[in-house]
Structures are given as structure tokens and as C-alpha cells.
Amino acid sequence: DAGITQSPRHKVTETGTPVTLRCHQTENHRYMYWYRQDPGHGLRLIHYSYGVKDTDKGEVSDGYSVSRSKTEDFLLTLESATSSQTSVYFCAIRRDSSTDTQYFGPGTRLTVL
Amino acid sequence: QKEVEQNSGPLSVPEGAIASLNCTYSDRGSQSFFWYRQYSGKSPELIMFIYSNGDKEDGRFTAQLNKASQYVSLLIRDSQPSDSATYLCAVPIQGAQKLVFGQGTRLTINP
């Protein structure tokens, strides 16, 4: 258990509404990540953070923004949700070790109608 | 060419046999590789990490790395129905700040 929680775990929303997903860690790791997982595409990186207020884009960042005001929380916001953002979203942390392994949260299933 | 490629399967193996999962990567400078297992509806979990040429064994799992061929594989011996899952290969990039994942191979072990 990497001490990662995600909320909400499931959400159904309508096109055009804003949505915020929360990732919370209990172990104080510097690196946190947001991925989306879709059939046929595997895991794709949306944004990541390497410290408080330090974030960078991943390969599928369009339509998403992130914020990290505290070490333990990493928020992913869909400013105006679209049906193409229906997906399963995973948060991950990277443990600072010789292997730099990433560990994943339980995921959030988001449906945009 | 994608940075990491896997055969998406599905791969079907009889119980007790050896399951072989393969991954190729494009960056010759890649130093380490991860194998994750993901059960349906669950999050990926790390099962193996390998950074040197040759084999690394952990119980019924063996990871094999061939840097010259840019090829990493995962062997599961004495396959069990509980091994049925999707297996994801991942390669660190940008100084290990990020991981790039393959599409995953769906493995089914038939009793």
C-alpha cells in the first residue's frame, strides 16, 4: 500500500461542466503523476509534479490543468469536460529510491455524458 | 516508432505452462525497465524491475533484458489462473522523471 487515495472513485458528469479529481498521499513524496487509461491506448501521462507549485505537461495534457499547493495533494481539473475525457484516471507517486519506482492509486472512473 | 511496444494479445496459456510476455523499446540509452500487473478494474502494481543485462528471478517470475536487441521479456513459470491479468512494460525517460508504458498484454491462464 503506497498510501495513495483518490477521490471521487466514480463520477458521472455532463459535457461542459468542470470536474476536479483529487489525489492524496501520506508519504511526502516529491513526484506525483496523473495518467489516463483507455482501451487500446494503455496508460498515458497527463501532467506530473516534482514539488509544490512545480508541474509539467505529459503527452495528453490538452483540456486538463493541475495544481499542487501542498506536498500531499495533487489536483487534476477538467475545466469543461468533454465526452472524449471519459476514462479511468490514475494518480501515482514516485518513491525516492534507487529504482525510482512509481506506485499507483486506486483510480477514478469518470464518465462524461 | 513508439518508445515502448507490446503485443496487446490476448495471450492464452494453459495452467502450469510458461507464459512469455515481450516488450521492445526504442531508446538505446534506456537503463531500467519495469513490469506491472493490472487485474481487471484495478490499478497497476509493480511486479518486477530490471536494470542489467541478463535475467532477474523473483519466485515464479523471471525478467530478461537484452540491451543489444532492445528487448525485455517477462516469463511466468507454472502459470496459475490468478496470473490472468494485463501486463504492462514501462521504461523511464527524462532522467526517470517519467515512465512510458506499453499498451499492455492481456494474459489469460486456462485451467
Side-chain angles (χ1 to χ4, degrees):
Chain A
D1 183 1
I4 307 168
T5 57
Q6 292 185 232
S7 58
R9 295 292 314 279
H10 301 272
K11 186 170 182 66
V12 180
T13 191
E14 294 190 349
T15 298
T17 59
V19 176
T20 295
L21 309 182
R22 179 179 182 243
C23 177
H24 178 80
Q25 62 154 327
T26 60
E27 298 181 352
N28 230 28
H29 297 291
R30 183 179 163 205
Y31 280 84
M32 298 183 75
Y33 303 82
W34 277 108
Y35 293 88
R36 62 178 288 175
Q37 188 172 40
D38 306 287
H41 290 279
L43 279 164
R44 292 182 292 174
L45 182 65
I46 305 171
H47 282 280
Y48 70 103
S49 170
Y50 46 95
V52 173
K53 299 192 189 305
D54 292 322
T55 64
D56 205 351
K57 296 179 180 179
E59 63 177 303
V60 289
S61 59
D62 287 348
Y64 301 94
S65 63
V66 289
S67 65
R68 193 164 177 206
S69 58
K70 298 185 290 185
T71 299
E72 58 266 36
D73 289 327
F74 191 31
L75 304 181
L76 176 71
T77 297
L78 292 66
E79 300 289 349
S80 178
T82 67
S83 57
S84 64
Q85 295 175 311
T86 292
S87 187
V88 179
Y89 291 85
F90 289 103
C91 174
I93 57 93
R94 193 189 83 175
R95 285 209 170 121
D96 297 324
S97 68
S98 59
T99 61
D100 294 322
T101 303
Q102 289 189 23
Y103 295 87
F104 287 82
T108 294
R109 183 172 294 277
L110 176 67
T111 302
V112 184
L113 301 176
Chain B
Q1 182 187 1
K2 288 185 179 178
E3 290 173 279
V4 181
E5 295 204 44
Q6 293 180 257
N7 185 331
S8 60
L11 177 65
S12 185
V13 173
E15 183 175 358
I18 296 175
S20 178
L21 304 158
N22 305 313
C23 175
T24 58
Y25 59 95
S26 59
D27 183 359
R28 286 194 171 274
S30 296
Q31 297 295 314
S32 57
F33 304 87
F34 298 87
W35 281 102
Y36 286 83
R37 177 178 63 199
Q38 186 176 24
Y39 292 116
S40 181
K42 302 295 185 181
S43 57
E45 57 177 330
L46 180 73
I47 54 171
M48 290 287 284
F49 165 81
I50 186 168
Y51 64 91
S52 58
N53 261 342
D55 297 359
K56 179 181 178 182
E57 190 173 313
D58 183 1
R60 295 186 297 109
F61 297 91
T62 299
Q64 298 177 320
L65 174 58
N66 184 324
K67 290 187 177 181
S69 301
Q70 295 176 244
Y71 178 96
V72 58
S73 63
L74 179 69
L75 302 178
I76 306 174
R77 292 183 302 283
D78 187 25
S79 297
Q80 303 296 311
S82 60
D83 295 324
S84 297
T86 295
Y87 290 80
L88 301 159
C89 170
V91 176
I93 61 171
Q94 289 186 215
Q97 285 194 87
K98 302 193 283 190
L99 284 180
V100 176
F101 286 84
Q103 287 185 293
T105 299
R106 186 156 57 93
L107 173 67
T108 300
I109 306 299
N110 300 308

